[in-house]
Amino acid sequence: MNPSLHYNWFSNIRGDILSGLVVALALIPEAIAFSIIAGVDPKVGLYASFCIAVITAFAGGRPGMISAATGAMALLMVTLVREHGLEYLLAATLLTGIFQIIAGYLHLGSLMRFVSRSVVTGFVNALAILIFMAQLPELIDVTWHVYAMTAAGLFIIYTFPLLTNKIPSPLVCILVLTAVAMALGLDIRTVGDMGELPDALPIFLWPDVPLNLETLWIILPYSLPLAVVGLLESLMTATIVDELTDTPSDKNRECKGQGLANIGAGLFGGMAGCAMIGQSVINVKSGGRTRLSTLIAGVVLLILVVFLDEWVSQIPMAALVAVMIMVSIGTFSWDSLINMRKYPMSTNIVMLVTVVVVVFTHNLAFGVFAGVLLAALFFANKIGQFLFIGKSETAQNEVTYNVVGQVFFSSSDKFIAAFDFKADLDRVVIDLSRAHFWDITAVSALDKVVLKFRREGIEVEVIGMNEASATIVDRFAVHDKPDAIDELMGH
Amino acid sequence: MKKILACIDGIGTLSEAVCDTAAWASATLQAPLSLLHVLDRREFPTEDETSLSGTIGLGARESLLQELAELDAKRAKLVREQGRVMLAAALERAQQDGAFEPTTLQRHDDFVTSLQELQGETRLLILGKGSKGDALGVHIEPTVRALHRPILLTDKALVDPKRFLLAFDGSATSRKALQMVADSPLLKGAACSLVMVGPSTYDTSKELEAAEKLLCDAGFEVDAKLLAGEADEVIIEQLKAQRADLLVMGAYGHSRIRQLLVGSTTSTLVRRSPVPLLLLR
């Protein structure tokens, strides 16, 4: 047998089958809950979870990662579903997939290196908060029965593993709460009240939308953020699974795999999805390592739902809420709160800004964008401090300035301020042998310095520019060209 | 100086066979022998006692990472010790066999990747045949495809072969193999059965004649045959009939796509050959 086939599918059969079963059971409440967030029938989320899990099992780049319908994606499609309906959602899902495949071919996965650890932490925490907030509608304006049921559900989920860890406790929670609700005839909301459940295997359906530009303009503003958020969450989850299992993954293949999965979901009546941090952690924790675990999770999910739809519709929403609260607690990075004391303030600000932007916009892409931008600014500021300019008298009426460090947009003012133009000198030497000029802001700062000295009648010599600095200075600088003054004055 | 690299994976007859063969090859070629054992973490199964509770609580990721890292650390220590014992046993055997400057090497890595990294200093690679009940195993084909070094596959000790069979088909791969045999001191002194499978035409007999002449000039005692039939069947039959100790052939001259469609003679012969194989790329 081929080793990649062996390691990707059959190196851990027992662990993968068991973890696949555990994940399938955990995916059902999530898929239903996220369909409800998006405002579509539970079957849309369940079909999506099946398609996405099965397709990423084959096409994804990270074996052992679980992808399905997710909350982050569901939140982005709410207004599209409300204003235009399900068919436009399916079309948007297709377009999302196409964007993601293009991203895979353009190797945009490697852009993830700009996403710092504090942004990832912020993303994960924001995701946990969003999942929790999405449960609140089920807990507002309801009778005390719902609160009691949810509390009992959480109690079962967290205490049952102390009894035995061979049976998934979320399953026990759902079974017990459903039995109690049916036995007591409680008048509380059930999954059946939230919309249609699947009663058959998904079928191939081209979304029923007119194929014209107008449709494109409707779905484009949704597909783009969906594609971005889907890739962000998938690649971050892949990094987390890489770290947990200490094995590598192919990030660009993952982008293409997610795209293919979304196209598949769109064509089989499912909503867009991506990788799930919580479920992937559950999968690894339950012993899942290879593609087989993902495939089993998807297939078992569909079998369970299609054959048990009568029973699934009886599940009280309180049980799902309990499971989702567990997922949100497990997703949240509690370490990040403890670490805030010892991490530098800039790191904490990046994390918090990411969280706050996401919570207010309900769009993880904006949060990540803000976080990355802020992190880059902080970094530029820090690097800008690595600039030192020393001054020494090397001869009668001659001063040598030694520039050490990084000169670029953020440190160019500091660079200019370090020179004393008003001194009574004949000659100035600027030694750049230990400095680096990064951009045209730095180059124009040097120009300014040289010209200012000249206008004071002081002769200037620039020495020791290293090769990298020399290239950029040659290309953009004016001071070493004959018509220097005219050109600079012309501006 | 380029080395003979022998891959050891365990203690037992197969590893001993690899050691003996490697010792002979290193002594014959006067090349230092390096005994290699690769630890691949992906070979570790997950715990039987894995929790199936399906819950994630406070700090689930952090605690899981710590748990898995500790487990891996424990296992890594264990397999590293096992590996050292294996290598020590192999080293002793190789020394007894009179190998040329034997040393040992243990790596934590993917098997094929570590062989690729060592490729630059490898002259000949010696692998045990098969794993997990299949003579081809999981590693042999990708190793042969990934490396551009001669590979000797064996399941029994090969020392001073009296006769080897060289499978020739006129392809570029097999002409290169022919040249390597002629140039190498490894098989000097052994008789050669040169077997070509194909229709008896003017072109094929000319090619066979040229091949025979090349080997004769290199000092081999050659017995050339042009036979018709299925390549793998004929070669297996001839190996038995001529009591050859070793099969020498060019390997995987075709693409994976073609192999998927029509199968690979190399894979079939690795599975079915009763004697060790020397694969030349």
Side-chain angles (χ1 to χ4, degrees):
Chain A
M1 195 191 294
N2 186 311
S4 65
L5 199 65
H6 171 77
Y7 287 123
N8 281 329
W9 290 96
F10 303 114
S11 59
N12 182 34
I13 296 175
R14 181 179 173 279
D16 282 333
I17 291 177
L18 288 174
S19 70
L21 290 171
V22 172
V23 170
L25 290 167
L27 274 179
I28 296 174
E30 286 214 39
I32 294 171
F34 294 142
S35 312
I36 294 165
I37 294 177
V40 293
D41 287 339
K43 73 172 186 182
V44 178
L46 289 164
Y47 282 157
S49 294
F50 162 74
C51 292
I52 295 170
V54 168
I55 295 174
T56 51
F58 291 95
R62 173 63 252 182
M65 183 165 80
I66 304 295
S67 303
T70 56
M73 301 289 264
L75 284 165
L76 296 176
M77 41 183 105
V78 178
T79 47
L80 176 67
V81 174
R82 200 168 50 216
E83 286 166 14
H84 299 281
L86 176 64
E87 294 301 325
Y88 279 87
L89 170 62
L90 300 183
T93 302
L94 278 181
L95 190 61
T96 301
I98 293 168
F99 284 144
Q100 289 178 331
I101 290 179
I102 294 171
Y105 277 103
L106 294 180
H107 293 261
L108 293 189
S110 51
L111 287 182
M112 282 298 285
R113 69 181 188 281
F114 293 116
V115 180
S116 70
R117 186 149 190 116
S118 28
V119 177
V120 174
T121 311
F123 181 97
V124 169
N125 289 348
L127 188 64
I129 294 171
L130 288 188
I131 295 175
F132 183 81
M133 280 169 48
Q135 306 310 312
L136 294 180
E138 294 302 323
L139 296 173
I140 292 170
D141 265 349
V142 287
T143 57
W144 65 272
H145 301 101
V146 177
Y147 295 111
M149 293 280 270
T150 309
L154 280 169
F155 181 77
I156 294 172
I157 288 172
Y158 283 118
T159 55
F160 190 78
L162 303 176
L163 234 55
T164 169
N165 61 13
K166 292 292 154 211
I167 304 168
S169 66
L171 174 69
V172 176
C173 156
I174 290 172
L175 290 179
V176 170
L177 292 196
T178 310
V180 168
M182 287 170 79
L184 300 180
L186 291 178
D187 181 26
I188 54 177
R189 271 200 285 186
T190 63
V191 171
D193 300 336
M194 311 309 291
E196 208 182 318
L197 281 163
D199 47 9
L201 298 176
I203 45 167
F204 184 88
L205 266 179
W206 187 255
D208 182 19
V209 291
L211 283 177
N212 54 26
L213 267 181
E214 201 182 330
T215 307
L216 183 68
W217 292 128
I218 292 172
I219 62 175
L220 191 66
Y222 294 94
S223 295
L224 266 177
L226 280 172
V228 173
V229 168
L231 291 182
L232 280 172
E233 190 175 352
S234 301
L235 296 177
M236 286 181 193
T237 311
T239 314
I240 288 170
V241 178
D242 287 355
E243 193 177 276
L244 286 176
T245 59
D246 193 21
T247 47
S249 62
D250 182 343
K251 301 287 190 300
N252 290 314
R253 178 169 174 193
E254 186 57 46
C255 294
K256 291 178 229 167
Q258 291 291 334
L260 222 59
N262 278 326
I263 291 177
L267 292 177
F268 284 92
M271 59 200 245
C274 63
M276 316 173 87
I277 294 177
Q279 297 295 341
S280 300
V281 172
I282 292 179
N283 190 37
V284 173
K285 189 181 173 197
S286 315
R289 291 292 182 276
T290 72
R291 297 176 182 277
L292 187 65
S293 57
T294 316
L295 180 68
I296 299 264
V299 172
V300 171
L301 161 91
L302 188 73
I303 294 173
L304 283 177
V305 179
V306 169
F307 291 102
L308 300 178
D309 64 321
E310 290 289 308
W311 294 95
V312 171
S313 67
Q314 296 294 328
I315 298 173
M317 285 306 291
L320 293 196
V321 170
V323 173
M324 297 309 293
I325 291 176
M326 182 268 292
V327 170
S328 88
I329 291 174
T331 304
F332 198 87
S333 169
W334 294 90
D335 263 19
S336 67
L337 295 185
I338 302 163
N339 286 336
M340 279 178 83
R341 282 160 167 238
K342 56 179 187 196
Y343 282 177
M345 189 46 76
S346 59
T347 309
N348 293 334
I349 292 175
V350 169
M351 197 272 275
L352 290 174
V353 164
T354 309
V355 172
V356 170
V357 171
V358 173
V359 170
F360 278 98
T361 60
H362 281 205
N363 186 331
L364 287 155
F366 291 151
V368 170
F369 187 68
V372 168
L373 205 65
L374 209 54
L377 287 181
F378 280 130
F379 179 74
N381 183 42
K382 270 181 228 163
I383 291 297
Q385 288 166 11
F386 284 94
L387 178 66
F388 166 79
I389 297 165
K391 179 178 162 189
S392 57
E393 275 207 46
T394 37
Q396 183 79 36
N397 288 339
E398 181 190 296
V399 164
T400 299
Y401 286 94
N402 261 306
V403 185
V404 180
Q406 314 300 324
V407 190
F408 64 113
F409 62 89
S410 127
S411 61
S412 59
D413 283 348
K414 192 178 165 191
F415 175 77
I416 296 172
F419 296 94
D420 178 9
F421 303 106
K422 304 298 174 196
D424 176 21
L425 295 170
D426 295 335
R427 210 173 113 84
V428 162
V429 178
I430 303 177
D431 182 356
L432 298 178
S433 54
R434 284 187 289 162
H436 199 121
F437 281 68
W438 286 104
D439 57 5
I440 49 169
T441 315
V443 175
S444 63
L446 179 63
D447 284 342
K448 229 181 198 169
V449 168
V450 171
L451 291 170
K452 272 189 167 217
F453 275 122
R454 281 191 195 159
R455 298 182 85 181
E456 300 295 338
I458 302 168
E459 195 186 314
V460 186
E461 191 191 354
V462 179
I463 58 167
M465 246 185 289
N466 67 27
E467 297 239 327
S469 301
T471 27
I472 189 149
V473 171
D474 280 345
R475 229 180 315 150
F476 301 108
V478 290
H479 75 253
D480 55 347
K481 298 185 179 97
D483 49 352
I485 300 271
D486 298 343
E487 196 171 319
L488 209 67
M489 295 303 109
H491 288 299
Chain B
M1 194 170 190
K2 285 200 173 176
K3 291 178 176 173
I4 307 290
L5 196 61
C7 300
I8 302 295
D9 186 22
I11 293 179
T13 47
L14 185 62
S15 292
E16 284 172 4
V18 171
C19 279
D20 295 346
T21 311
W24 160 71
S26 80
T28 311
L29 296 174
Q30 287 295 295
L33 171 62
S34 182
L35 298 159
L36 172 74
H37 179 236
V38 180
L39 306 169
D40 189 340
R41 187 172 317 106
R42 294 176 303 176
E43 294 285 354
F44 302 169
T46 49
E47 280 280 86
D48 286 347
E49 287 305 306
T50 315
S51 162
L52 298 177
S53 68
T55 51
I56 41 175
L58 290 181
R61 258 177 301 131
E62 292 85 357
S63 58
L64 181 60
L65 177 61
Q66 208 172 355
E67 206 177 289
L68 292 174
E70 274 166 23
L71 189 66
D72 278 345
K74 231 188 292 168
R75 286 169 162 173
K77 274 184 197 150
L78 198 69
V79 293
R80 197 168 60 213
E81 282 311 313
Q82 281 175 349
R84 284 180 186 161
V85 173
M86 279 176 213
L87 286 175
L91 184 65
E92 201 187 323
R93 179 136 187 135
Q95 276 163 345
Q96 281 171 6
D97 290 341
F100 185 78
E101 293 176 11
T103 51
T104 60
L105 180 64
Q106 181 152 258
R107 298 275 306 159
H108 288 268
D109 206 345
D110 172 66
F111 183 70
V112 177
T113 315
S114 40
L115 289 181
Q116 272 174 323
E117 277 165 13
L118 294 168
Q119 177 159 231
E121 48 186 278
T122 306
R123 180 162 172 189
L124 171 68
L125 176 68
I126 298 173
L127 290 178
K129 245 196 225 176
S131 65
K132 300 195 170 75
D134 178 2
L136 192 57
V138 293
H139 290 309
I140 291 176
E141 190 196 324
T143 306
V144 176
R145 281 193 186 276
L147 299 189
H148 295 276
R149 290 287 178 270
I151 298 175
L152 183 54
L153 288 175
T154 180
D155 53 356
K156 54 183 137 194
L158 174 77
V159 179
D160 289 329
K162 298 283 169 285
R163 174 172 285 276
F164 67 94
L165 188 150
L166 179 60
F168 184 71
D169 63 1
S171 66
T173 326
S174 79
R175 275 204 300 277
K176 204 160 166 225
L178 181 77
Q179 193 63 48
M180 285 168 91
V181 170
D183 293 344
S184 163
L186 186 68
L187 296 171
K188 286 277 143 68
C192 172
S193 306
L194 182 63
V195 173
M196 186 168 186
V197 182
S200 172
T201 62
Y202 178 76
D203 284 350
T204 50
S205 39
K206 262 276 180 265
E207 273 179 59
L208 186 64
E209 227 167 78
E212 187 180 359
K213 182 164 182 309
L214 187 79
L215 286 174
C216 285
D217 290 349
F220 285 95
E221 179 193 317
V222 188
D223 161 28
K225 278 200 173 103
L226 181 60
L227 299 165
E230 282 290 317
D232 43 342
E233 295 290 338
V234 173
I235 290 170
I236 297 287
E237 208 172 277
Q238 287 295 313
L239 278 173
K240 289 176 185 155
Q242 310 217 16
R243 299 228 184 110
D245 302 316
L246 174 69
L247 169 60
V248 183
M249 61 187 290
Y252 296 114
H254 300 292
S255 68
R256 276 177 213 277
I257 312 266
R258 187 189 137 110
Q259 180 182 343
L260 202 65
L261 298 174
V262 299
S264 156
T265 314
T266 313
S267 296
T268 317
L269 282 170
V270 171
R271 286 208 173 89
R272 294 189 49 202
S273 165
V275 298
L277 290 93
L278 179 58
L279 303 179
L280 303 169
R281 286 270 279 177

